[in-house]
Amino acid sequence: MITNLWLGTSNVPASDGATFPVYDPATEEHLVDVADASSADWSKALDLASAAQSEWAQWSPQSRSDILREIYDEVMARKDEFAELMTREMGKPFAQAQGEVDYGAGYLRWFAEEAVRLPGRFAQSPAGNGTMTIQPEPVGPVLAITPWNFPLAMATRKIAPALAAGCTVIVKPAELTPLTMLLLGEVISGVLTRHGAPDGVVSIVTTTKAKDLSKELQADKRLRKVTFTGSTRTGKILVEQSAQHLQRTSMELGGNAPFIVCEDADMDLAIEGAIAAKMRNNGEVCVAANRFLVHSSRAQEFTDRLTQRFQGYVTGHGMEATTTLGPLVSAQQRDKVAQLVDAALAHGATAAIGGIRPEGRGYFYPATVITGVGSDEDILHEEIFGPVAVITTFEDLDEAIAKANDTDFGLAAYAFTENVHTAQRLANELEAGMVGINRGALSDVAAPFGGVKQSGFGREGGTEGIEEYVNLKYVARP
Ligand code: ADP
């Protein structure tokens, strides 16, 4: 296991020798201690990133593409090693962790392909008195801050476009899940060294002092961009801090996705979609269905069938082959889910299944279906981030859309209908960056992932994802 920082290609302990512990959420066992960086360490990372930036920007797109492709190949060759680390540090079942390696590595391959296709533009001035070229240039050193729910994928979808565009990057993974990223550091560092890239193109800084890190790095005018996935609360702090030097920012923040099941929905599709949108990653997903809005005539059928499916979940350690529902990532996360459910039940809601926090070791919470929730209940307004499906009803499409949009967030939305006009209306009127029609899984390396409203701004993946890492320069000529 790699437990030291990557300051460029050097794998070193924190300069003051500090460490912090990492635990297995299924057993609460101490796994290992990891370097706890402080100011001297992240300053060094920025010195290196800043020194490497101009040389790295001049590397040919093809070399940057080749490097990304080799990183992809090596991650895929070591898939099970990555997957096991993820399962141990954050709890997801091993098969899902393998799925995350496929998905996360997919961004490395996708942006290896995009690196050689970064478009510019040439045009004649309409007045006929000159020409213009519009050329993309890397924004410069990037700080990437990532969450614990997808320890690999949330980072690769930032690192890959940044490298493709010619930026250097400092990565700050979540303190609950530092191990996956430190292993990726080994792979990246090996490939960059083999290619003779300047030292400092990628650094990985694990720390418990995230607040100080962002404050100090953002106060340094050499840092030119912050890309973040995490809570809306933290995103707002980072945007505020970006004002001092007007750093560019991309913010992929919280969600509160509605999942609408219309009167005419294909119930088989809706149930499969609900399982994908709710239960993947133990429900700890920013695009997870947070509110099921079901037409009143189909609510009983939907509730019964979802409850039946939830009965089949087997709780346990993610490394056990039979496990389909792992623990939540921490005691704090499990307690938050339990509190939301307990409050709803205390105010008159009913649990069709689950709803009881288990005793014993590990931060487990059962697959839960709740009905009869009042419209003011916190569980409808906060991101649950757990395996809890809350089902409410509607009578007509206007009501469904109004309820779906009655949130400060706007990341993902899902809708199930067999009517093409209803589908188009929902796609148009749902206030979200991403809409799944008759589909409960929408993440795709080729699509622009991101939100509106307090779910943030900026897009990751697709042909759009690389634009977050380039500035456009307009050159006028006679
Ligand atoms: P969550 O509630 O999902 O853990 P957070 O926004 O708190 O979401 O955390 C997401 C990531 O942001 C983690 O890597 C965390 O360490 C980091 N983080 C939290 N607060 C700050 C901050 N003030 N500056 C920089 N990073 C932060």
Side-chain angles (χ1 to χ4, degrees):
M1 252 185 252
I2 311 287
T3 56
N4 281 336
L5 313 173
W6 290 100
L7 299 183
T9 51
S10 304
N11 192 225
V12 292
S15 52
D16 61 4
T19 59
F20 65 92
V22 183
Y23 297 96
D24 181 332
T27 59
E28 303 182 33
E29 271 166 18
H30 176 229
L31 285 175
V32 70
D33 289 322
V34 163
D36 191 357
S38 59
S39 194
D41 304 307
W42 57 71
S43 301
K44 175 89 190 295
L46 183 56
D47 289 347
L48 286 167
S50 176
Q53 178 57 59
S54 63
E55 185 187 337
W56 178 240
Q58 284 163 34
W59 272 48
S60 69
Q62 189 64 61
S63 332
R64 295 201 295 257
S65 170
D66 292 346
I67 284 171
L68 283 168
R69 180 68 202 207
E70 277 179 41
I71 299 171
Y72 165 80
D73 287 339
E74 198 167 325
V75 170
M76 291 302 281
R78 297 170 71 176
K79 185 194 286 191
D80 286 358
E81 196 184 341
F82 273 96
E84 181 169 350
L85 262 190
M86 273 194 271
T87 294
R88 294 205 182 275
E89 67 179 344
M90 73 74 64
K92 71 182 73 183
F94 184 65
Q96 290 189 32
Q98 289 175 310
E100 179 175 346
V101 180
D102 290 335
Y103 171 59
Y107 284 100
L108 297 162
R109 180 172 57 183
W110 174 264
F111 284 107
E113 291 156 359
E114 291 298 290
V116 288
R117 314 216 191 293
L118 192 52
R121 190 159 73 85
F122 171 85
Q124 258 196 323
S125 164
N129 59 353
T131 64
M132 56 190 78
T133 50
I134 289 96
Q135 57 197 51
E137 296 185 345
V139 298
V142 173
L143 171 61
I145 301 176
T146 58
W148 45 260
N149 59 345
F150 291 96
L152 183 69
M154 295 303 100
T156 53
R157 72 185 190 187
K158 296 171 167 47
I159 298 169
L163 295 190
C167 297
T168 58
V169 199
I170 300 166
V171 186
K172 205 298 286 172
E175 48 270 53
L176 288 172
T177 57
L179 299 171
T180 305
M181 207 34 45
L182 291 174
L183 180 61
L184 183 68
E186 180 182 77
V187 173
I188 292 177
S189 175
V191 174
L192 287 172
T193 303
R194 270 206 304 280
H195 282 255
D199 196 16
V201 169
V202 176
S203 287
I204 295 170
V205 180
T206 50
T207 183
T208 54
K209 302 162 209 111
K211 264 188 196 159
D212 296 338
L213 175 143
S214 68
K215 207 168 166 185
E216 291 179 23
L217 289 180
Q218 290 192 270
D220 191 316
K221 65 182 180 192
R222 294 175 300 171
L223 187 78
R224 294 310 312 146
K225 158 104 195 174
V226 178
T227 172
F228 173 69
T229 300
S231 65
T232 295
R233 175 179 35 83
T234 301
K236 288 180 181 176
I237 294 171
L238 299 174
V239 171
E240 272 180 35
Q241 290 176 171
S242 75
Q244 187 182 355
H245 294 301
L246 291 174
Q247 281 137 357
R248 285 190 50 188
T249 51
S250 306
M251 294 287 140
E252 205 267 276
L253 310 177
N256 183 3
F259 185 108
I260 298 174
V261 181
C262 294
E263 193 172 4
D264 66 349
D266 176 329
M267 196 50 83
D268 291 340
L269 270 185
I271 292 295
E272 286 315 315
I275 294 292
K278 183 75 249 181
M279 298 305 278
R280 192 167 64 106
N281 218 41
N282 303 345
E284 295 168 317
V285 186
C286 52
V287 292
N290 215 53
R291 297 171 290 149
F292 288 90
L293 298 165
V294 185
H295 189 271
S296 60
S297 67
R298 309 293 299 277
Q300 194 60 49
E301 179 189 2
F302 182 79
T303 305
D304 290 346
R305 288 189 58 180
L306 196 62
T307 301
Q308 195 185 11
R309 288 293 293 272
F310 276 21
Q311 276 162 358
Y313 277 95
V314 177
T315 297
H317 196 293
M319 291 309 294
E320 283 162 25
T322 49
T323 297
T324 47
L325 186 63
L328 297 181
V329 74
S330 64
Q332 191 190 8
Q333 192 60 35
R334 192 264 313 269
D335 293 348
K336 191 193 138 196
V337 173
Q339 274 161 19
L340 286 171
V341 172
D342 290 350
L345 296 179
H347 299 153
T350 310
I353 182 172
I356 297 167
R357 184 186 137 156
E359 299 293 330
R361 290 183 86 73
Y363 309 126
F364 293 98
Y365 198 83
T368 297
V369 174
I370 296 185
T371 58
V373 174
S375 60
D376 290 339
E377 199 60 50
D378 283 347
I379 203 164
L380 289 176
H381 300 280
E382 289 185 25
E383 209 172 12
I384 302 170
F385 248 57
V388 179
V390 183
I391 300 173
T392 61
T393 60
F394 66 88
E395 300 302 329
D396 63 37
L397 209 55
D398 288 341
E399 184 191 351
I401 293 171
K403 280 184 166 166
N405 290 339
D406 181 21
T407 166
D408 290 336
F409 298 99
L411 193 57
Y414 306 88
F416 288 74
T417 174
E418 293 295 285
N419 182 310
V420 68
H421 301 290
T422 308
Q424 193 55 46
R425 186 172 167 212
L426 286 160
N428 291 345
E429 295 186 26
L430 288 172
E431 294 170 1
M434 298 169 280
V435 180
I437 299 289
N438 292 334
R439 267 184 64 178
L442 35 72
S443 294
D444 193 313
V445 294
F449 189 105
V452 296
K453 295 160 80 177
Q454 293 199 29
S455 293
F457 43 76
R459 293 294 179 266
E460 296 191 306
T463 52
E464 295 81 4
I466 201 165
E467 292 167 9
E468 303 285 325
Y469 299 90
V470 298
N471 289 326
L472 295 180
K473 181 179 279 173
Y474 153 49
V475 182
R477 292 196 178 85

